[in-house]
Amino acid sequence: MKTRISNTLRRAAIAAAVLVVAGVSIHAGHDDFGLGRNMEKLVNMMRELSVHYVDEVAPEDLMSSAAAGMVSRLDPYTYYLSEEDMKKFELETTGKYGGIGALIRQCDDYVVIAEPYKGSPADRAGLRIGDKIVEIEGKDARGFTTEKVSSLLKGDPNTKVHITVERIVDGKREAKTIRRERIVIPAVTYAGWVDRGNGIGYIQQADFSESGYEEMRASIERLRGEGELRGLILDYRNNGGGIMQEAVRILSLFVPKGTEVLSTKGRAADANKTYRTTLDPLLPETPLAVLVNANTASSSEIVAGALQDLDRAVVVGQKSYGKGLVQTSMPIGYDAYVKMTTAKYYIPSGRCIQRIDYSSHDQGVHSVPDSLVREFTTRNGRKVYDGGGIMPDVRTETEYISRFALTLYAMGFIDEFCDDYFRRHSADSVDNRTFAISDADYEDFVAFMKDKEVPYTSDTRRVLDRLKAALESDRFTERFADEMARIEGSLHDDTESNLRTYRKEIEESIVSGIIMRFNYAAGAIEHSLVDDGDVKRAIGVLLDSEEYGRILTEQDTVKDSEAGDSKAGDVEETETEN
């Protein structure tokens, strides 16, 4: 008996020692024995599978599968990062990599330039959107995937890459030698004026990488250098967040030094922190409006929520996503990490805006029920609520985007047409704010789509197909045959009909793509702001000082359940950084 117990303890101690070597310390008060025992079982299982499984299995694959299993019943933000994964993770958090500074995309058998960053090595080398990469280091690039081309274009700064491109304008082939640099992906994608006459500025921030604060500060200083800044719109729509500390630093631009803007609470002692601004504000009193939508999440919600709780800005748009969780990356040995949720964050009113409750591991995930939603107050005493994202002070309707238009873009048809338009008009210039295509141009696009297969089925057609199946199952087909025939006869959802039905959305995508080819992404953003309903509402609030003051002193927000649920849409990445 004593021998068996001592052997078990010895094995547990060995397993614990393995954890310590890997950089994981075991704290008193935890289930040390259970942890050590299960660690030993895991290691033994991996060894037996590696040695005895009928087919050879890579240890790294076993590790990845085991890690995925361990966190499968936790939240989606907790996962294993292999050495290879860490390279992508570093790009996401720092916004920096070694390369030529361009997005690429697949186009038939080749990879083409999707967008060169302004001022990047690719841009200085004269690469344009639509240029086809036909050779890399003397090798024919036909059949190369975007992943393969990306790996060849990236590399250490100051090294060179030799490519041959087929130019979009004239089809001629040109050899290029490009020196790689340390590329910084901009956190601030656009800064400019949306109402120059009234001094209303606008800044769009795409993420919270480690350069976010510096870029935001530089953007504000540039705007102030160009004229009197009497109001500022901060656009955090579709901003999925990033480094939490960058959010705190950005808040320091707008609130007094020493203001508490955030606190975090977790199980470990070092997860419990209070964050205050440590810098003097750049715009302590300038009226602010913050734009949010269902894809505004994490650090962008910290900025929007803190400014709302401090009554420092009017929030405009739709309810934000509701991610109030903090992640920490911890090393587990051999350049691998585990990224895990270690705390929840709380904005100045004391509320946590986490929408999904992941704590009931055995019962699945669910939104925080209305009965558990709590009321909080802002600095001026306005009512705000937890449990469901940031509710805007000025609510607007979600802009409709048809799935048909998105399908055309995802399949590359719009890019292909824009390439052809640029090829024919490359000597022209376009005004970002006023450019539009003509009716004849759109008819050219309709003709271009004549022989294209578009795998699209309208929601109405899907419902109708389900209804037909249900009628057949219930043996009602004959009874409702005339009605079904009449509905089907009235339903026009073929490609040509859809090109007419969704012309507005399709035309906007075409115009945006054309402007990008002449004036970069910033030009397309500037164009989109002209008819942006949320921007117009924000301008109106900033120009009406009485209404602005009333909102920040008197107006309560509504509860999450009263406004309907928000879910962030999935975005499929079709372009690669290089």
Side-chain angles (χ1 to χ4, degrees):
M1 183 67 172
K2 289 182 179 179
T3 301
R4 187 172 65 189
I5 293 174
S6 60
N7 285 340
T8 301
L9 291 175
R10 179 175 56 81
R11 289 195 297 268
I14 291 172
V18 171
L19 284 174
V20 173
V21 170
V24 180
S25 40
I26 298 180
H27 303 283
H30 292 186
D31 184 7
D32 298 348
F33 177 75
L35 180 61
R37 179 184 61 191
N38 287 295
M39 279 296 299
E40 184 181 7
K41 288 193 290 186
L42 178 62
V43 171
N44 288 340
M45 184 174 178
M46 290 182 66
R47 183 186 65 244
E48 297 301 332
L49 287 169
S50 296
V51 174
H52 297 295
Y53 185 69
V54 63
D55 297 317
E56 187 174 350
V57 183
E60 183 61 34
D61 292 340
L62 288 175
M63 179 63 214
S64 296
S65 297
M70 271 190 274
V71 302
S72 62
R73 291 163 67 185
L74 305 179
D75 63 67
Y77 313 111
T78 297
Y79 49 84
Y80 168 69
L81 289 165
S82 66
E83 182 179 359
E84 188 63 30
D85 294 332
M86 282 303 297
K87 296 177 182 177
K88 182 179 180 181
F89 183 66
E90 180 186 5
L91 173 60
E92 292 173 348
T93 54
T94 67
K96 300 175 183 177
Y97 66 97
I100 66 171
L103 294 173
I104 57 175
R105 59 180 169 84
Q106 197 77 42
C107 183
D108 298 326
D109 291 336
Y110 287 95
V111 170
V112 302
I113 300 296
E115 179 193 344
Y117 294 136
K118 189 173 183 178
S120 68
D123 186 34
R124 297 198 302 272
L127 298 186
R128 307 295 294 268
I129 296 176
D131 284 351
K132 185 186 299 181
I133 301 173
V134 294
E135 287 185 6
I136 304 177
E137 300 295 354
K139 295 181 180 179
D140 186 356
R142 178 190 290 271
F144 282 11
T145 63
T146 54
E147 290 78 10
K148 183 174 180 62
V149 171
S150 178
S151 66
L152 293 171
L153 294 181
K154 288 179 179 177
D156 294 331
N158 295 321
T159 59
K160 295 179 180 179
V161 60
H162 306 279
I163 67 173
T164 299
V165 296
E166 184 177 294
R167 304 309 299 252
I168 178 67
V169 174
D170 54 19
K172 293 181 179 179
R173 294 195 170 192
E174 292 184 16
K176 300 282 185 180
T177 298
I178 305 176
R179 185 181 295 275
R180 300 182 181 96
E181 293 179 3
R182 187 67 164 166
I183 305 299
V184 179
I185 303 172
V188 172
T189 46
Y190 181 82
W193 300 91
V194 287
D195 188 338
R196 186 66 178 267
N198 288 300
I200 307 298
Y202 168 93
I203 298 176
Q204 181 184 103
Q205 185 176 355
D207 59 41
F208 284 80
S209 56
E210 63 183 25
S211 63
Y213 166 77
E214 296 297 342
E215 291 184 39
M216 178 66 76
R217 185 181 184 91
S219 297
I220 292 172
E221 290 177 335
R222 178 174 66 78
L223 289 174
R224 293 206 304 179
E226 294 173 355
E228 184 182 1
L229 189 60
R230 296 196 289 272
L232 179 62
I233 299 171
L234 303 175
D235 193 345
Y236 287 110
R237 292 173 298 179
N238 303 314
N239 183 319
I243 301 174
M244 182 179 67
Q245 289 78 1
E246 285 300 296
V248 175
R249 297 181 73 200
I250 287 171
L251 284 166
S252 72
L253 294 166
F254 309 110
V255 299
K257 182 178 179 180
T259 300
E260 180 180 330
V261 293
L262 183 70
S263 62
T264 60
K265 298 177 184 178
R267 281 206 307 149
D270 59 1
N272 300 308
K273 298 179 181 178
T274 297
Y275 294 86
R276 297 178 179 275
T277 56
T278 59
L279 303 168
D280 291 322
L282 200 59
L283 298 177
E285 297 179 352
T286 303
L288 302 175
V290 180
L291 305 185
V292 299
N293 66 5
N295 292 311
T296 300
S298 191
S299 293
S300 55
E301 290 179 291
I302 291 175
V303 173
L307 292 175
Q308 184 181 59
D309 281 0
L310 296 170
D311 298 307
R312 181 63 188 87
V314 171
V315 179
V316 178
Q318 301 91 48
K319 184 183 60 176
S320 67
Y321 180 76
K323 180 177 180 289
L325 305 177
V326 180
Q327 282 72 49
T328 305
S329 299
M330 299 182 177
I332 56 175
Y334 299 97
D335 294 325
Y337 285 73
V338 58
K339 182 183 179 186
M340 72 174 75
T341 299
T342 54
K344 293 181 179 179
Y345 72 73
Y346 300 80
I347 47 182
S349 65
R351 56 180 170 146
C352 177
I353 50 85
Q354 176 63 23
R355 179 171 59 92
I356 300 296
D357 180 10
Y358 295 104
S359 61
S360 302
H361 309 306
D362 297 326
Q363 301 172 11
V365 300
H366 55 81
S367 297
V368 177
D370 189 50
S371 60
L372 297 181
V373 171
R374 296 182 297 166
E375 179 184 302
F376 296 80
T377 56
T378 68
R379 177 170 287 181
N380 289 335
R382 300 188 297 139
K383 294 178 182 179
V384 290
Y385 300 90
D386 67 0
I390 304 298
M391 189 62 64
D393 301 304
V394 177
R395 295 169 57 198
T396 62
E397 293 298 320
T398 304
E399 184 178 350
Y400 174 75
I401 302 176
S402 73
R403 285 193 302 107
F404 181 75
L406 291 175
T407 301
L408 296 184
Y409 180 81
M411 295 191 68
F413 294 139
I414 289 178
D415 272 323
E416 191 175 344
F417 181 78
C418 291
D419 285 345
D420 183 63
Y421 184 96
F422 180 72
R423 191 180 294 114
R424 291 182 284 112
H425 298 84
S426 60
D428 297 344
S429 60
V430 302
D431 182 280
N432 295 335
R433 290 183 170 272
T434 61
F435 176 74
I437 60 173
S438 65
D439 290 341
D441 291 329
Y442 193 77
E443 291 307 314
D444 287 344
F445 180 71
V446 173
F448 164 78
M449 290 297 301
K450 279 285 188 185
D451 60 346
K452 306 296 190 298
E453 291 290 331
V454 183
Y456 169 81
T457 303
S458 68
D459 289 339
T460 304
R461 173 68 63 181
R462 292 181 183 185
V463 172
L464 187 61
D465 289 343
R466 289 199 297 271
L467 177 59
K468 289 170 65 177
L471 290 173
E472 184 175 353
S473 176
D474 293 334
R475 300 184 181 181
F476 290 154
T477 301
E478 289 188 18
R479 184 184 303 180
F480 294 98
D482 292 342
E483 288 85 346
M484 294 299 295
R486 190 160 47 251
I487 294 173
E488 288 198 275
S490 303
L491 179 59
H492 303 293
D493 62 347
D494 57 284
T495 295
E496 185 168 355
S497 297
N498 285 330
L499 289 171
R500 306 297 178 187
T501 301
Y502 304 114
R503 172 172 175 169
K504 182 177 182 294
E505 293 91 344
I506 297 169
E507 194 168 300
E508 286 174 355
S509 295
I510 293 173
V511 168
S512 178
I514 291 171
I515 292 175
M516 279 186 65
R517 283 154 175 77
F518 284 92
N519 297 328
Y520 302 93
I525 294 172
E526 183 178 6
H527 176 84
S528 71
L529 298 177
V530 174
D531 292 319
D532 190 313
D534 289 356
V535 171
K536 289 180 178 179
R537 288 293 298 276
I539 293 172
V541 170
L542 291 175
L543 292 179
D544 188 341
S545 58
E546 185 175 337
E547 175 66 2
Y548 180 85
R550 185 198 65 78
I551 292 173
L552 294 183
T553 56
E554 301 176 11
Q555 182 173 299
D556 300 331
T557 62
V558 298
K559 280 188 177 181
D560 176 52
S561 59
E562 297 170 359
D565 193 23
S566 287
K567 294 182 179 179
D570 295 327
V571 179
E572 181 178 353
E573 295 183 5
T574 57
E575 299 172 346
T576 305
E577 306 280 356
N578 295 281

